[in-house]
Structure formats: C-alpha cells, structure tokens
Amino acid sequence: MATIYIDNVPYEVKPGKNLLEACLTLGINLPYFCWHPAMGSVGACRQCAVKVFKDEADTKGRLIMSCMEPVRDNIRLSVDEPEAKEFREHVIEWLMTNHPHDCAVCDEGGACHLQDMTVMSGHNYRRYEYKKRTYQNQYLGPFLNHEMNRCIQCYRCVRFYKDYAGGHDLDVFAAHNHVYFGRHENGVLENEFSGNLAEVCPTGVFTDKTLKQHYTRKWDLTMAPSVCQHCSLGCNISAGERYGSLRQITSRYNGEVNGYFICDRGRFGYEFVNSPARIRKALVRTHLPEAVTKEVALQEIWGELRQARLIGIGSPRASLESNFALKALVGENNFHLGVDENDQDLVDLSLKILRKGPARNFSLREVETADAVFILGEDLTNTAPMLALAVRQSVRQQPLAQVAQASIPFWQDAAARELVQDKKGPLFIASITATKLDEIATATAHASPDAIARLGFAVANLISENSPVVTHLSEAEETMAQQIADALKTAKKPLIISGCASGSEAVLKAAANIAGALCEQVKTAGIVLTVPECNSLGLAMLGGHRLESAFEAIQNGYADSVIILENNLYRCANKTAVDSFLGHAKEVLVLDHLHHATTEKARIVLPAGTFAEADGTLVNNEGRAQRFYQVYPTPEDLQESWRWLINIGTSLRHPVLSNWKNLDDINQALAEADNQFKGILAAAPPAEFRIAGQKIPRESHRFSGRTAMNAHHAVSEPKPPEDPDTPLTFTMEGYRGEPPSSIIPFFWSPGWNSIQSVNKYQEEIGGHLHHGDPGIRLIEPVQTNLTHYFSEVPEDFAPLQNHLFMVPLYHIFGSEEQSILAPGIAQRAPEPYVAICEADAHALQLKEGNNLDFSLEHQIIRLPVKINNDITKGTAGLPKGLPGVPYAELPAWAIILKQETTWKHQPQIIS
C-alpha cells in the first residue's frame, strides 16, 4: 500500500492506480469526463485537475490531470486548492460554450453526468453570448438517437466503440473544436454493443431511442435489480417501469459477470414485455376463447385435473423456482425437461464437464485476463455476445506485458495502445462459419462440427499423450493444431471456450480434453461452455425426463393431461410430433406470458409474469445462481408461474405446495430437497431482511405524480401494494442507504445521478461491489490431479450425394425467442435463408436468392439460398430460431429435392 496526502490528510491506497481512481475509491468527489474505469485514461477533457506539491514546504505546487498521474508513495495533492477549483470551473465553462441549454427536453436530463460535473465544478452562470456551433444529426438505427450538438468532445464514444468493442463504422471527423462523432453517412450502427454509447456518453449525444418512444425521467421510474433473459451469461440489468409498462433496461454493474456493459439484445430486447401478444387474462376455451377471472380458472383446473394422470413440461427460460414448483406438483417421475433432445444431451454433458473436470469455469471477468484463447464451435457474438466482448479484451493480455516492461501503467490507455499498435495475443477459432472475432484471431478454421472436434482432440493430444491420438489429419490441420498447442502450453492463463451451438457432443468433449490436458501440466487453465438459454444449466441441474418421453406417456395412455411451463414446444420438437402430443392430451394447460403456437392448442391458458413482473432465480452458464426481482406490481390475474402452481397445488390439496406461501418457502424446500441448490439461499437476502427496520424502495426519493397517476380512479393516494416475497417495496419510502449488492434497484448517490454513480458502490474503482458481487456459484471443479479423457474421436466429415448436412447458425438479432418481438430487434433480424457454399450452389444450379427445396425430419422446406464460402462443402447452415425457419433438431442430414419438383401443396414454413 502507498500513503498519499490529499489536502494534508493521509490515506492508504493501492499502488498502480492513478490519482483520479484513488480519489474516487476514497469517496472524494472529483469531476471527470474522458476517463472511464473500463477504458483507462487519455487526458482529453482536462476536467480532473488537481494540484500536486513537491513536499510539505511547497506552497505553490503545479496543476496536473489526476487521471494521468500515477499513485506514488508520499505524493501530496489538493483537490480543494483554489487554483485547481478555478481551473476546473474554467474547463467546464469552455466545454459548455457550444452545449445547448436543452436540459428540459434532453432525454439525459436528471441522469446526466455533465449536469453532475457542472454542479460539482461550481459552474452555474453562462457568460458565452455568441452563436453556438451546430451539427446535423444522423440516423443510427432503431436503438440510438443522435444529438451531436450536445457533444463536449470527451472521445469516450469512439474509444468504447472502436478500441473496446471492435466497431468500425463510428469515428471522429474534423479537428479542434469542430469534431464530429458519427458515421461517414447515415445508417445503422453495426456493432452489437452500440447501445452502451447511451451510458458511456456523459451527455445526451447518444440516447436510448426505445425509451424516447415512451419517455420518463429516471427519477420517475420504478426500478428493480434483474438478470438478462436473452442468453446464458446472466448479465446483470436494472429494469425501469412507469404506468404499468417496461420502459428501459440499463446495465447493472457486476464485477464478476458483465462489468459496466451489456449487449444490444439485452438492452433493447425488453419490449416483448409490452407486446400486443401478451397474455393478460386467464383463458378457458370451450367453443370459443374466453377470458375468465383467476378464481374461475382455478375452479376449472380443479374440476379437470383432480382426477387427471398429470405430467409437467418445464422450461429453460423459466425460473428455478417455477420449474421446481411444477416438478413438485406433478411428481419427480412425471416432470419432463422441455428442451430439444440434442440440447438436453449437450447441456447434460456440459454440466458433467464443469462438475467433474479439473478446469475452473471462468467468469467473464476472468475471461478478460486470459492470455491465450481457443474457441471451438461457437460464434460468440451471436450466441453469447458479452463473452465475445470479454475475449476482445483478453487478446490484449500478452501485448500488455510489453507495456509493463516499458513502465507504462495499464490505465494510461493512449500510451499503451500506441506502444502495442496492432499486436494481439493468441486467439484461435474453429467455427462452422466466419465470426466477428475472426478479425482479431491469430488463426481460424471454418469446418464441419466433426472436423472442429478432430482439431480439438489433436490439440489435446499434443499437450498430453494421455488424450487420444487423431489420425488422418491434413497437413494444414496438423500445423494449426501444433500452433494452438504451443500457444496454450506457453500461456500463463490459457482458456478454452466451447458450448452447445454447434450441436456436437464431440466438440464439447474435445474442449474438455484440452482443458484437462492443460490442467495436467499444472496450468491455471479455464474453460467456458455456453448453453442455449438463460436457465438451461439450472434446469439440467434440477433434472427431469426427456421431452420425447412426455409425448410417449400421453400417446401410450400412461398420462392424459399436461401442464406446460413457459415453453413453446414447436421450438423444441418436430411439428408433427407436437401436434400429435397435444391432440392426444385430454387437457392441456399452458402457463406463459406470450401467445404462440402452443398456447393456441391449449384449452386453459394462465397469464404468467415476465422477468419484469416476477421474482425468481436463474443459473447462468458459469453455474452462478442470481436473483431477479419484480419491477412493478401487476393486476391480480397476472402473476409468477410458481405462484400459479402454488394456487393449483392448493386447490388440488397437494401436501407440499399447499404449505408454500412465498418465494423463500420454495427456495427453502429446493435447498432441502437437493443439496446442490443449498447455495441459492445465500444468493439474495430473504423476504424478512430489513435495514434499520426498513425495506429497500424501488422508487427514488424524487419519484413524482403518485396521486396523479391514478387520478382517473381516485385523487387520494391508495395503499401501496405489498411485496411478500422480497425485501423491496413498491414505493419511494424505505431505507435510503446502500443495500446488499443483490438488491440494489438503481445506482444513485448525492451529486451522482448518472450511471457513473456506481463508483460509490465499489470496494475500489472497477473492482467488486461492497459486500461482494451479486450471485453465488453452485459449481466448482473437482480438485484432482487425474484427468478423465474422452476417447471417442469422430471420423472426418464426408459429403453424401444428394444430401446436405444441416448445421445450426445463430443471429444475435432473431434467434432468441422473446427479444425478436421487440420492434427494434425485429428490424435488425435477417430474412429466412439457407446458407451453402458456392461449389454446392453451382452443383445444384442455384444462385444467391434462388429457392432450395429439401426434406429435413419429414418436413419439406423451401428457403432462399445465401452463398457463404466459409461453409464446408456438403454442409448447409440453417438459422436456428429465426422466424420463418422451421424447427429441426440439428445437425442433421437433409435430402436435396429436385428443384423442378411440382408441389401439390406449397411447402409450409413453420414460424
């Protein structure tokens, strides 16, 4: 530790930081603009000036920029010295000369870092009387609004977009005081993390366009801590509501998971919550759809199910509590995992690897520190976007050693990047087709899943002879395998990334073998495995039977009725099979929040709350259990799936569910029933948790208009709804201090109204939150010197005549079931297609845009061709989950039909 003196007061601080970080960590308010804790310092804004003195006798001192000055022992500085304060006031005045006085109409008003820093600097009077510089704004797509006149030239936007996130279509133009931050022409920002500009920008240049459509000031939002539902990474988010509709998603800092950022799907995919396709009333269908009250629905359920032979189908997008409640209701032998057969095998295998393998499953924070990475079978930008962002930071690790040798602090970003230039650490990618990360990769291979697995097995064998030998590799494959093995063996912290996206167990096994071989060499090796959905790993840990066995139970008469939990079966099984299953069932009851093909076949439909209207726990791909909270109260008929299941269990006089009253009861029962879930009790405080006898408010102390909101009903203020499940309230009354990290509804501190206020909640800047980051890990690797190696090396891929091997492709905008209902996401989604290489297209006499007819799993499908020369000859890419592309269990062989086939009926595309 180093001792520094700030205004003659000694403080113990960590060396290696800059003075601005040190001051903020100590809780001392010091204004800044260009510096960002995730991106370091460039000294562009001159706003963080302090005075530094040689020693105690020095009374004159000199002005320096605190973000550019390293902490050193016995350094003396002053934040409050009059000349330093005057300098900061002049700087903000210069920056404000061209800034419009539009706070009243600016979307950033009330949550603006510029406002905070202006007040903090003491600048409160505008002397500038001349014409302001003005710019023309650009159309940047459906996610962001552009208002260039508000710019103060801090350069944060281009530093994040280009240097941190790897974007290419946002830049800075012109020079001096006339710089312009935007695209070379109007157009959609292409980078998948562009939405972070709304938080990175300290003013209102880039703002959330989806919020603008139903704008509400930050202080008038009811907010709650939540977890993103759109992939398996479990990024932390804060959700904001007003007037019964969800209006905004912002990143919620978690030092071990997503840090300061989230992807665009996570930020803008929330609008499915407000979709016209929402189920808001219980439906009991007789001859016609009929909306009924909760009581009538439960009475109908009691009459139909009390004598029924009942099975349940769970869901990887439903909470752990909802799945467990359904399992308890129908019984362990009658609970089925509502997932694709192949996905179930892949997730089960992933769980086995994480539990029994010696390699640690890295968090996103640990991924950023890996110094050699090998990705097998994953297109991370489209399947796990924030993991791709973390990998972009990891390739800097080896070059940063050169920075350290030059005695340049890592936080001195401009100098570090100038020294490193375009150097990258080792990153190797073996994927089905080209990925966005290829541009920073050392070497890439685009191949079939079996070929990717063979390459992985070969790498493992080169690291450890205990891993099986791979024969008949090409010279190019042998060379690449040796290159990858050498890089991983020489790295200090190598990382293997794989997952379920390729649809291949062999790829997962190869990844496990490499990680095991590295650990055998006494390496601090890590592994990351992605899984399909937000709670896929939690559902696999809970356990259950296959979906196919549910179909057989109904069709063979072992059961006659089914409860389907938050699941569209047409997305995880063949249409013919699902039609037959639902047709044979005597009673079909679906709990979900959106209408889809499965709810249309159900006689009883119950309206389940979305993540914004429910409490629950998700287990991410890391095995980290994290709690999400209901943002706002809902009408009585709309409630959590687990609460509906408790209601059903109570009406059926179920011996277990009848005793459950709230979320804590379910979690206690789950922890007692299954030892692996004991940790979830520590994932968040229980409902009776209080600080100074008070709950934590979801509304800010400035929340306004409570009586006016209900003036069309009554002018008196109604009693606020009670929350029996959490230590949060639906009001502005409650404890105003800092709550435990898992239940922080929003970041705010006196003088810090923007997202930058998170610095007041951290142990150190960029570090963990006070009391630890949210979530608890339920899975840790086995500590053993023995590595189990998978020995089944697949044969090399060989094309079949008149067939194409269909492999899954993914799109960040379009493949995920719920986010595609958000208008902005839908606008970015591609049209349906099938991807083949030019050689196959030539053989089939097809051109780009022509229709390809093929038979896949007894379905005849017609899709337009997209030429993709990264696809292996003899294979074809089918976009999984994309609307307009029918479900198929992939990978699978498809039969090519003669293109002149005369159809008796047009091929149906099942959405």
Side-chain angles (χ1 to χ4, degrees):
M1 299 293 281
T3 300
I4 66 173
Y5 295 85
I6 304 176
D7 291 310
N8 295 319
V9 178
Y11 296 94
E12 294 285 323
V13 298
K14 270 188 177 181
K17 304 289 185 180
N18 61 51
L19 292 180
L20 175 60
E21 289 180 89
C23 288
L24 294 175
T25 297
L26 292 169
I28 296 170
N29 289 339
L30 185 58
Y32 61 88
F33 288 117
C34 64
W35 173 82
H36 188 282
M39 296 184 287
S41 308
V42 291
C45 71
R46 328 303 290 170
Q47 187 60 63
C48 62
V50 296
K51 207 161 216 190
V52 171
F53 302 91
K54 291 180 182 178
D55 50 40
E56 290 182 77
D58 182 9
T59 58
K60 187 174 182 180
R62 62 186 176 92
L63 285 171
I64 57 102
M65 302 307 120
S66 61
C67 73
M68 300 297 288
E69 188 76 13
V71 164
R72 59 181 185 273
D73 203 26
N74 293 318
I75 190 172
R76 308 186 77 90
L77 67 139
S78 174
V79 174
D80 294 330
E81 201 274 340
E83 190 178 353
K85 292 174 71 174
E86 184 182 11
F87 182 89
R88 295 196 297 266
E89 187 176 343
H90 285 322
V91 169
I92 194 72
E93 186 172 20
W94 299 334
L95 294 176
M96 295 292 287
T97 53
N98 286 297
H99 190 82
H101 303 177
D102 64 346
C103 297
V105 296
C106 177
D107 296 358
E108 202 78 0
C112 177
H113 185 62
L114 176 61
Q115 286 178 333
D116 291 344
M117 299 301 97
T118 303
V119 173
M120 191 179 294
S121 300
H123 172 60
N124 53 28
Y125 180 73
R126 308 285 172 88
R127 294 183 293 170
Y128 185 74
E129 299 176 351
Y130 308 101
K131 187 176 181 180
K132 289 180 179 286
R133 173 207 62 211
T134 57
Y135 292 112
Q136 186 171 343
N137 301 315
Q138 290 183 319
Y139 170 77
L140 298 177
F143 299 149
L144 287 175
N145 192 63
H146 189 226
E147 182 57 67
M148 187 55 211
N149 293 325
R150 297 171 182 155
C151 182
I152 59 167
Q153 300 90 43
C154 72
Y155 287 84
R156 265 195 189 184
C157 57
V158 291
R159 290 179 60 218
F160 169 79
Y161 196 87
K162 294 174 63 178
D163 298 342
Y164 196 92
H168 301 292
D169 59 325
L170 180 80
D171 216 325
V172 54
F173 303 93
H176 309 302
N177 196 30
H178 294 279
V179 291
Y180 187 91
F181 296 89
R183 300 182 85 252
H184 67 286
E185 62 181 1
N186 284 357
V188 177
L189 284 173
E190 296 169 1
N191 191 269
E192 294 79 7
F193 308 96
S194 64
N196 291 291
L197 295 176
E199 292 183 12
V200 167
C201 176
T203 75
V205 176
F206 302 97
T207 53
D208 184 340
K209 187 177 283 189
T210 65
L211 173 66
K212 196 177 188 71
Q213 296 165 10
H214 42 206
Y215 183 68
T216 299
R217 293 294 186 192
K218 177 183 176 181
W219 63 77
D220 278 336
L221 289 172
T222 300
M223 303 187 77
S226 194
V227 177
C228 182
Q229 310 280 306
H230 302 309
C231 83
S232 64
L233 298 181
C235 296
N236 287 202
I237 57 175
S238 292
E241 170 272 351
R242 181 77 166 176
Y243 289 113
S245 69
L246 194 61
R247 303 203 170 192
Q248 187 181 36
I249 294 293
T250 54
S251 64
R252 179 167 62 104
Y253 183 85
N254 185 320
E256 281 297 331
V257 186
N258 55 294
Y260 292 91
F261 308 119
I262 54 176
C263 76
D264 286 356
R265 183 167 68 186
R267 186 180 298 276
F268 302 113
Y270 72 90
E271 289 186 287
F272 76 91
V273 175
N274 308 320
S275 168
R278 285 298 306 277
I279 303 165
R280 300 193 179 276
K281 297 289 289 184
L283 300 177
V284 176
R285 293 185 171 111
T286 50
H287 298 296
L288 292 171
E290 184 180 352
V292 298
T293 64
K294 172 185 173 183
E295 291 72 25
V296 171
L298 289 172
Q299 184 64 33
E300 185 75 17
I301 292 168
W302 176 82
E304 294 296 328
L305 298 186
R306 56 183 173 149
Q307 302 296 331
R309 290 169 295 157
L310 193 60
I311 62 172
I313 296 178
S315 171
R317 63 174 167 84
S319 69
L320 207 53
E321 291 84 356
S322 293
N323 279 295
F324 178 64
L326 179 58
K327 186 175 184 178
L329 177 65
V330 301
E332 185 173 348
N333 292 330
N334 298 315
F335 180 70
H336 304 262
L337 305 183
V339 296
D340 179 303
E341 297 284 312
N342 194 37
D343 280 354
Q344 182 169 346
D345 291 336
L346 293 168
V347 177
D348 285 346
L349 177 58
S350 300
L351 185 57
K352 177 183 176 182
I353 291 169
L354 297 179
R355 278 178 169 163
K356 298 186 176 180
R360 176 179 169 82
N361 190 15
F362 276 8
S363 68
L364 290 182
R365 186 188 186 95
E366 291 171 301
V367 170
E368 292 183 352
T369 63
D371 56 353
V373 180
F374 183 22
I375 302 172
L376 294 91
E378 289 288 316
D379 179 0
L380 294 181
T381 305
N382 289 307
T383 60
M386 286 299 294
L387 181 54
L389 190 64
V391 169
R392 285 189 178 274
Q393 315 321 310
S394 73
V395 297
R396 298 189 67 207
Q397 292 306 307
Q398 282 201 17
L400 283 176
Q402 183 181 352
V403 174
Q405 291 170 4
S407 300
I408 298 173
F410 294 152
W411 48 260
Q412 203 164 85
D413 192 61
R417 291 185 185 276
E418 183 68 24
L419 180 63
V420 169
Q421 297 289 322
D422 293 328
K423 294 173 188 168
K424 302 282 190 301
L427 167 63
F428 301 93
I429 303 173
S431 57
I432 290 171
T433 186
T435 76
K436 281 280 191 83
L437 290 178
D438 286 5
E439 64 185 8
I440 60 169
T442 309
T444 62
H446 304 135
S448 68
D450 283 350
I452 292 170
R454 286 170 59 80
L455 177 64
F457 276 109
V459 171
N461 175 257
L462 290 170
I463 297 171
S464 171
E465 293 180 353
N466 295 322
S467 186
V469 176
V470 183
T471 58
H472 307 301
L473 287 172
S474 69
E475 185 178 343
E477 288 172 325
E478 288 180 351
T479 301
M480 186 171 181
Q482 188 66 60
Q483 185 184 11
I484 296 169
D486 291 344
L488 294 174
K489 284 192 292 186
T490 57
K492 295 178 181 178
K493 197 174 181 181
L495 170 65
I496 310 304
I497 299 176
S498 189
C500 304
S502 66
S504 170
E505 287 192 20
V507 170
L508 281 170
K509 291 175 180 178
N513 276 16
I514 301 170
L518 288 168
C519 288
E520 191 181 286
Q521 306 297 319
V522 199
K523 284 280 183 182
T524 309
I527 189 168
V528 174
L529 302 178
T530 68
V531 291
E533 299 200 49
C534 60
N535 201 28
S536 290
L537 205 64
L539 185 63
M541 292 172 69
L542 192 62
H545 299 295
R546 291 180 175 274
L547 183 59
E548 185 180 357
S549 65
F551 294 175
E552 292 170 353
I554 291 290
Q555 289 163 344
N556 295 332
Y558 301 124
D560 56 29
S561 299
V562 59
I563 298 177
I564 301 171
L565 172 65
E566 298 184 31
N567 203 326
N568 182 3
L569 299 184
Y570 289 94
R571 287 181 64 92
C572 49
N574 182 276
K575 180 180 186 300
T576 304
V578 177
D579 283 344
S580 176
F581 166 65
L582 297 176
H584 280 83
K586 176 185 174 184
E587 193 68 61
V588 178
L589 189 159
V590 176
L591 297 95
D592 215 334
H593 41 260
L594 291 164
H595 283 292
H596 46 66
T598 303
T599 62
E600 295 305 314
K601 297 290 182 71
R603 196 177 81 82
I604 301 175
V605 181
L606 299 180
T610 64
F611 75 96
E613 301 145 347
D615 307 302
T617 304
L618 302 176
V619 180
N620 75 347
N621 69 310
E622 182 194 350
R624 183 183 297 270
Q626 300 183 105
R627 186 72 53 81
F628 63 91
Y629 289 92
Q630 183 176 357
V631 184
Y632 54 99
T634 57
E636 188 179 359
D637 291 353
L638 188 67
Q639 56 186 10
E640 300 96 331
S641 292
W642 54 260
R643 198 180 298 279
W644 275 115
L645 292 165
I646 290 175
N647 294 155
I648 293 169
T650 302
S651 69
L652 296 176
R653 295 182 174 82
H654 191 278
V656 176
L657 274 71
S658 299
N659 297 318
W660 293 348
K661 304 300 180 188
N662 61 19
L663 192 71
D664 288 345
D665 291 342
I666 303 177
N667 283 324
Q668 186 65 46
L670 176 56
E672 291 172 359
D674 195 335
N675 195 53
Q676 65 181 327
F677 290 112
K678 272 192 174 179
I680 65 170
L681 298 177
E688 64 269 15
F689 176 82
R690 301 289 186 276
I691 301 179
Q694 296 178 303
K695 281 191 164 192
I696 311 303
R698 287 176 170 90
E699 300 168 356
S700 77
H701 65 286
R702 298 177 296 168
F703 191 91
S704 64
R706 289 200 304 201
T707 53
M709 292 169 74
N710 296 297
H712 56 298
H713 297 301
V715 292
S716 59
E717 185 171 354
K719 180 183 177 182
E722 295 185 6
D723 185 352
D725 304 304
T726 78
L728 300 168
T729 71
F730 290 112
T731 71
M732 58 193 285
E733 288 79 26
Y735 179 70
R736 284 291 159 202
E738 184 180 340
S741 60
S742 60
I743 54 173
I744 298 173
F746 48 83
F747 294 114
W748 179 88
S749 185
W752 296 82
N753 297 282
S754 75
I755 194 66
Q756 309 299 323
S757 58
V758 70
N759 73 76
K760 296 294 185 180
Y761 293 76
Q762 295 169 323
E763 293 175 356
E764 62 175 321
I765 300 304
H768 302 295
L769 293 171
H770 297 151
H771 318 299
D773 294 309
I776 186 101
R777 280 178 66 113
L778 303 179
I779 300 173
E780 293 293 348
V782 175
Q783 299 300 319
T784 176
N785 293 325
L786 299 174
T787 297
H788 167 76
Y789 289 102
F790 295 101
S791 57
E792 310 87 7
V793 180
E795 295 294 323
D796 199 5
F797 173 76
L800 288 180
Q801 190 173 7
N802 298 322
H803 287 71
L804 285 171
F805 189 60
M806 290 287 171
V807 292
L809 301 180
Y810 296 84
H811 292 275
I812 181 174
F813 306 123
S815 290
E816 199 273 326
E817 179 182 5
Q818 299 181 119
S819 61
I820 189 60
L821 292 175
I825 299 291
Q827 189 176 323
R828 295 288 305 274
E831 294 296 319
Y833 68 92
V834 57
I836 59 176
C837 69
E838 195 166 2
D840 283 332
H842 180 74
L844 294 169
Q845 298 181 340
L846 293 172
K847 295 181 179 179
E848 179 102 13
N850 290 165
N851 288 328
L852 173 66
D853 301 330
F854 55 95
S855 174
L856 182 63
E857 292 187 346
H858 310 294
Q859 301 176 90
I860 296 175
I861 302 170
R862 171 179 288 172
L863 288 171
V865 164
K866 181 181 286 187
I867 303 297
N868 183 341
N869 285 321
D870 295 312
I871 295 279
T872 304
K873 189 176 186 303
T875 66
L878 196 64
K880 194 165 184 180
L882 196 66
V885 177
Y887 164 82
E889 187 174 315
L890 301 177
W893 285 101
I895 302 170
I896 302 170
L897 302 176
K898 290 184 179 179
Q899 302 309 298
E900 66 269 15
T901 299
T902 301
W903 302 97
K904 291 182 179 178
H905 303 286
Q906 270 302 95
Q908 284 196 331
I909 301 302
I910 307 156
S911 59

